[in-house]
Amino acid sequence: MEKVKKKNKISVYFSTVLNQIGLTPRRAINSMIFLLLFSSLASFSYIILLAGKSGVTFQNFLNSNPQNAVMFIISAIHFGLGYVLWKKKEELVTRKKNFQAFSIFLLVSQAIVGNLVTVVLAAVSLYVSPQIKHEGEKYFSSAEMVLFVVCGLMYIFCAILLLRLH
């Protein structure tokens, strides 16, 4: 009984904080777009800076540093997902199932590669998803599903590469 009260207090506190900061599904999507695009651009900039400091060509730099090559691949996938999320923002905000599916995809895929900020934001997005009232009759298209599967497989591949390099 005591655990239920504590769990309920935490849930009420969490809901209060989210309501006070005004987090809505639309703001959560905008935050995910910003994080995905900003993190990819920051990673690209960092890799280019390291390549410039090394004094070799960019391709030779990536060939000689496999961790940076994997980071480059992950950044490219982040950029692509951020772009897709930006283009599909209205569809996600108006369809609860799509919003939840994309949030779960981001939660799992970002946990695989260790992007903890996006993992937390995806979890919070799942928490605010009941605010979307329209269920929607259409899910993702087959092309979008293929994109998510390929991205997921690439994230798993990159995570395995990173684990083997260490």
Side-chain angles (χ1 to χ4, degrees), residues 108-129:
V108 172
S109 65
Q110 298 304 303
I112 290 171
V113 294
N115 190 352
L116 297 180
V117 175
T118 309
V119 167
V120 169
L121 188 56
V124 170
S125 296
L126 282 173
Y127 190 79
V128 299
S129 68

PDB file of all heavy atoms in Angstrom, residues 108-129:
ATOM      1  N   VAL A 108      14.075   3.148 -28.155  1.00  0.00           N
ATOM      2  CA  VAL A 108      14.891   1.935 -28.285  1.00  0.00           C
ATOM      3  C   VAL A 108      16.157   2.203 -29.096  1.00  0.00           C
ATOM      4  O   VAL A 108      17.263   1.825 -28.677  1.00  0.00           O
ATOM      5  CB  VAL A 108      14.062   0.794 -28.923  1.00  0.00           C
ATOM      6  CG1 VAL A 108      14.918  -0.402 -29.243  1.00  0.00           C
ATOM      7  CG2 VAL A 108      12.912   0.413 -28.008  1.00  0.00           C
ATOM      8  N   SER A 109      16.020   2.857 -30.242  1.00  0.00           N
ATOM      9  CA  SER A 109      17.184   3.055 -31.104  1.00  0.00           C
ATOM     10  C   SER A 109      18.223   3.972 -30.470  1.00  0.00           C
ATOM     11  O   SER A 109      19.424   3.720 -30.587  1.00  0.00           O
ATOM     12  CB  SER A 109      16.753   3.604 -32.464  1.00  0.00           C
ATOM     13  OG  SER A 109      16.201   4.887 -32.347  1.00  0.00           O
ATOM     14  N   GLN A 110      17.787   5.000 -29.779  1.00  0.00           N
ATOM     15  CA  GLN A 110      18.743   5.898 -29.137  1.00  0.00           C
ATOM     16  C   GLN A 110      19.369   5.264 -27.901  1.00  0.00           C
ATOM     17  O   GLN A 110      20.508   5.573 -27.543  1.00  0.00           O
ATOM     18  CB  GLN A 110      18.083   7.229 -28.791  1.00  0.00           C
ATOM     19  CG  GLN A 110      17.570   7.995 -29.992  1.00  0.00           C
ATOM     20  CD  GLN A 110      18.650   8.242 -31.025  1.00  0.00           C
ATOM     21  OE1 GLN A 110      19.679   8.815 -30.738  1.00  0.00           O
ATOM     22  NE2 GLN A 110      18.414   7.785 -32.244  1.00  0.00           N
ATOM     23  N   ALA A 111      18.648   4.360 -27.257  1.00  0.00           N
ATOM     24  CA  ALA A 111      19.242   3.618 -26.137  1.00  0.00           C
ATOM     25  C   ALA A 111      20.346   2.693 -26.656  1.00  0.00           C
ATOM     26  O   ALA A 111      21.362   2.498 -25.973  1.00  0.00           O
ATOM     27  CB  ALA A 111      18.177   2.816 -25.411  1.00  0.00           C
ATOM     28  N   ILE A 112      20.170   2.151 -27.844  1.00  0.00           N
ATOM     29  CA  ILE A 112      21.176   1.267 -28.437  1.00  0.00           C
ATOM     30  C   ILE A 112      22.489   2.008 -28.661  1.00  0.00           C
ATOM     31  O   ILE A 112      23.565   1.486 -28.377  1.00  0.00           O
ATOM     32  CB  ILE A 112      20.661   0.650 -29.752  1.00  0.00           C
ATOM     33  CG1 ILE A 112      19.561  -0.366 -29.457  1.00  0.00           C
ATOM     34  CG2 ILE A 112      21.782   0.003 -30.543  1.00  0.00           C
ATOM     35  CD1 ILE A 112      18.842  -0.870 -30.692  1.00  0.00           C
ATOM     36  N   VAL A 113      22.413   3.238 -29.163  1.00  0.00           N
ATOM     37  CA  VAL A 113      23.639   3.982 -29.454  1.00  0.00           C
ATOM     38  C   VAL A 113      24.077   4.892 -28.308  1.00  0.00           C
ATOM     39  O   VAL A 113      25.109   5.535 -28.394  1.00  0.00           O
ATOM     40  CB  VAL A 113      23.519   4.803 -30.765  1.00  0.00           C
ATOM     41  CG1 VAL A 113      23.406   3.890 -31.944  1.00  0.00           C
ATOM     42  CG2 VAL A 113      22.391   5.786 -30.710  1.00  0.00           C
ATOM     43  N   GLY A 114      23.308   4.954 -27.247  1.00  0.00           N
ATOM     44  CA  GLY A 114      23.728   5.684 -26.058  1.00  0.00           C
ATOM     45  C   GLY A 114      23.414   7.167 -26.057  1.00  0.00           C
ATOM     46  O   GLY A 114      24.056   7.930 -25.333  1.00  0.00           O
ATOM     47  N   ASN A 115      22.445   7.599 -26.825  1.00  0.00           N
ATOM     48  CA  ASN A 115      22.035   9.003 -26.831  1.00  0.00           C
ATOM     49  C   ASN A 115      20.982   9.187 -25.733  1.00  0.00           C
ATOM     50  O   ASN A 115      19.778   9.185 -25.995  1.00  0.00           O
ATOM     51  CB  ASN A 115      21.496   9.381 -28.209  1.00  0.00           C
ATOM     52  CG  ASN A 115      21.287  10.861 -28.363  1.00  0.00           C
ATOM     53  OD1 ASN A 115      21.395  11.627 -27.418  1.00  0.00           O
ATOM     54  ND2 ASN A 115      20.981  11.263 -29.586  1.00  0.00           N
ATOM     55  N   LEU A 116      21.433   9.353 -24.510  1.00  0.00           N
ATOM     56  CA  LEU A 116      20.546   9.317 -23.352  1.00  0.00           C
ATOM     57  C   LEU A 116      19.588  10.505 -23.278  1.00  0.00           C
ATOM     58  O   LEU A 116      18.480  10.368 -22.766  1.00  0.00           O
ATOM     59  CB  LEU A 116      21.366   9.212 -22.074  1.00  0.00           C
ATOM     60  CG  LEU A 116      22.186   7.935 -21.943  1.00  0.00           C
ATOM     61  CD1 LEU A 116      22.967   7.929 -20.649  1.00  0.00           C
ATOM     62  CD2 LEU A 116      21.301   6.715 -22.044  1.00  0.00           C
ATOM     63  N   VAL A 117      19.987  11.649 -23.797  1.00  0.00           N
ATOM     64  CA  VAL A 117      19.098  12.814 -23.765  1.00  0.00           C
ATOM     65  C   VAL A 117      17.858  12.547 -24.612  1.00  0.00           C
ATOM     66  O   VAL A 117      16.722  12.822 -24.195  1.00  0.00           O
ATOM     67  CB  VAL A 117      19.839  14.080 -24.247  1.00  0.00           C
ATOM     68  CG1 VAL A 117      18.907  15.268 -24.327  1.00  0.00           C
ATOM     69  CG2 VAL A 117      21.013  14.383 -23.331  1.00  0.00           C
ATOM     70  N   THR A 118      18.051  11.974 -25.787  1.00  0.00           N
ATOM     71  CA  THR A 118      16.921  11.649 -26.646  1.00  0.00           C
ATOM     72  C   THR A 118      16.102  10.503 -26.071  1.00  0.00           C
ATOM     73  O   THR A 118      14.881  10.468 -26.242  1.00  0.00           O
ATOM     74  CB  THR A 118      17.404  11.312 -28.073  1.00  0.00           C
ATOM     75  OG1 THR A 118      18.263  12.359 -28.531  1.00  0.00           O
ATOM     76  CG2 THR A 118      16.253  11.187 -29.034  1.00  0.00           C
ATOM     77  N   VAL A 119      16.740   9.583 -25.368  1.00  0.00           N
ATOM     78  CA  VAL A 119      16.005   8.493 -24.708  1.00  0.00           C
ATOM     79  C   VAL A 119      15.043   9.070 -23.677  1.00  0.00           C
ATOM     80  O   VAL A 119      13.868   8.694 -23.626  1.00  0.00           O
ATOM     81  CB  VAL A 119      16.984   7.491 -24.043  1.00  0.00           C
ATOM     82  CG1 VAL A 119      16.253   6.548 -23.112  1.00  0.00           C
ATOM     83  CG2 VAL A 119      17.729   6.707 -25.094  1.00  0.00           C
ATOM     84  N   VAL A 120      15.531  10.007 -22.865  1.00  0.00           N
ATOM     85  CA  VAL A 120      14.677  10.625 -21.843  1.00  0.00           C
ATOM     86  C   VAL A 120      13.544  11.397 -22.508  1.00  0.00           C
ATOM     87  O   VAL A 120      12.384  11.304 -22.090  1.00  0.00           O
ATOM     88  CB  VAL A 120      15.510  11.537 -20.918  1.00  0.00           C
ATOM     89  CG1 VAL A 120      14.628  12.382 -20.023  1.00  0.00           C
ATOM     90  CG2 VAL A 120      16.478  10.704 -20.091  1.00  0.00           C
ATOM     91  N   LEU A 121      13.864  12.139 -23.553  1.00  0.00           N
ATOM     92  CA  LEU A 121      12.826  12.913 -24.245  1.00  0.00           C
ATOM     93  C   LEU A 121      11.794  12.004 -24.904  1.00  0.00           C
ATOM     94  O   LEU A 121      10.600  12.296 -24.873  1.00  0.00           O
ATOM     95  CB  LEU A 121      13.447  13.845 -25.277  1.00  0.00           C
ATOM     96  CG  LEU A 121      12.499  14.826 -25.934  1.00  0.00           C
ATOM     97  CD1 LEU A 121      11.776  15.679 -24.903  1.00  0.00           C
ATOM     98  CD2 LEU A 121      13.236  15.698 -26.908  1.00  0.00           C
ATOM     99  N   ALA A 122      12.223  10.888 -25.453  1.00  0.00           N
ATOM    100  CA  ALA A 122      11.275   9.939 -26.045  1.00  0.00           C
ATOM    101  C   ALA A 122      10.382   9.323 -24.977  1.00  0.00           C
ATOM    102  O   ALA A 122       9.181   9.125 -25.200  1.00  0.00           O
ATOM    103  CB  ALA A 122      12.019   8.853 -26.814  1.00  0.00           C
ATOM    104  N   ALA A 123      10.946   9.035 -23.807  1.00  0.00           N
ATOM    105  CA  ALA A 123      10.137   8.495 -22.714  1.00  0.00           C
ATOM    106  C   ALA A 123       9.118   9.518 -22.234  1.00  0.00           C
ATOM    107  O   ALA A 123       7.950   9.180 -21.983  1.00  0.00           O
ATOM    108  CB  ALA A 123      11.040   8.063 -21.555  1.00  0.00           C
ATOM    109  N   VAL A 124       9.530  10.768 -22.140  1.00  0.00           N
ATOM    110  CA  VAL A 124       8.598  11.831 -21.745  1.00  0.00           C
ATOM    111  C   VAL A 124       7.532  12.009 -22.819  1.00  0.00           C
ATOM    112  O   VAL A 124       6.360  12.245 -22.511  1.00  0.00           O
ATOM    113  CB  VAL A 124       9.364  13.144 -21.473  1.00  0.00           C
ATOM    114  CG1 VAL A 124       8.426  14.320 -21.313  1.00  0.00           C
ATOM    115  CG2 VAL A 124      10.236  12.997 -20.234  1.00  0.00           C
ATOM    116  N   SER A 125       7.915  11.856 -24.083  1.00  0.00           N
ATOM    117  CA  SER A 125       6.941  11.955 -25.182  1.00  0.00           C
ATOM    118  C   SER A 125       5.878  10.876 -25.064  1.00  0.00           C
ATOM    119  O   SER A 125       4.694  11.128 -25.319  1.00  0.00           O
ATOM    120  CB  SER A 125       7.641  11.834 -26.530  1.00  0.00           C
ATOM    121  OG  SER A 125       8.511  12.907 -26.722  1.00  0.00           O
ATOM    122  N   LEU A 126       6.285   9.684 -24.697  1.00  0.00           N
ATOM    123  CA  LEU A 126       5.304   8.614 -24.486  1.00  0.00           C
ATOM    124  C   LEU A 126       4.364   8.971 -23.345  1.00  0.00           C
ATOM    125  O   LEU A 126       3.177   8.645 -23.383  1.00  0.00           O
ATOM    126  CB  LEU A 126       6.007   7.291 -24.189  1.00  0.00           C
ATOM    127  CG  LEU A 126       6.585   6.573 -25.387  1.00  0.00           C
ATOM    128  CD1 LEU A 126       7.408   5.371 -24.943  1.00  0.00           C
ATOM    129  CD2 LEU A 126       5.490   6.139 -26.334  1.00  0.00           C
ATOM    130  N   TYR A 127       4.893   9.637 -22.341  1.00  0.00           N
ATOM    131  CA  TYR A 127       4.073  10.017 -21.192  1.00  0.00           C
ATOM    132  C   TYR A 127       3.024  11.069 -21.572  1.00  0.00           C
ATOM    133  O   TYR A 127       1.909  11.042 -21.051  1.00  0.00           O
ATOM    134  CB  TYR A 127       4.981  10.544 -20.069  1.00  0.00           C
ATOM    135  CG  TYR A 127       4.266  10.727 -18.766  1.00  0.00           C
ATOM    136  CD1 TYR A 127       4.006   9.643 -17.934  1.00  0.00           C
ATOM    137  CD2 TYR A 127       3.844  11.983 -18.352  1.00  0.00           C
ATOM    138  CE1 TYR A 127       3.349   9.800 -16.737  1.00  0.00           C
ATOM    139  CE2 TYR A 127       3.178  12.157 -17.153  1.00  0.00           C
ATOM    140  CZ  TYR A 127       2.945  11.061 -16.351  1.00  0.00           C
ATOM    141  OH  TYR A 127       2.283  11.226 -15.160  1.00  0.00           O
ATOM    142  N   VAL A 128       3.364  11.981 -22.490  1.00  0.00           N
ATOM    143  CA  VAL A 128       2.411  13.025 -22.894  1.00  0.00           C
ATOM    144  C   VAL A 128       1.561  12.613 -24.082  1.00  0.00           C
ATOM    145  O   VAL A 128       0.683  13.365 -24.507  1.00  0.00           O
ATOM    146  CB  VAL A 128       3.108  14.376 -23.189  1.00  0.00           C
ATOM    147  CG1 VAL A 128       3.810  14.908 -21.973  1.00  0.00           C
ATOM    148  CG2 VAL A 128       4.029  14.289 -24.380  1.00  0.00           C
ATOM    149  N   SER A 129       1.783  11.425 -24.635  1.00  0.00           N
ATOM    150  CA  SER A 129       1.028  10.996 -25.817  1.00  0.00           C
ATOM    151  C   SER A 129      -0.480  10.892 -25.592  1.00  0.00           C
ATOM    152  O   SER A 129      -1.239  11.070 -26.548  1.00  0.00           O
ATOM    153  CB  SER A 129       1.578   9.682 -26.360  1.00  0.00           C
ATOM    154  OG  SER A 129       1.339   8.625 -25.479  1.00  0.00           O
TER     155      SER A 129
END
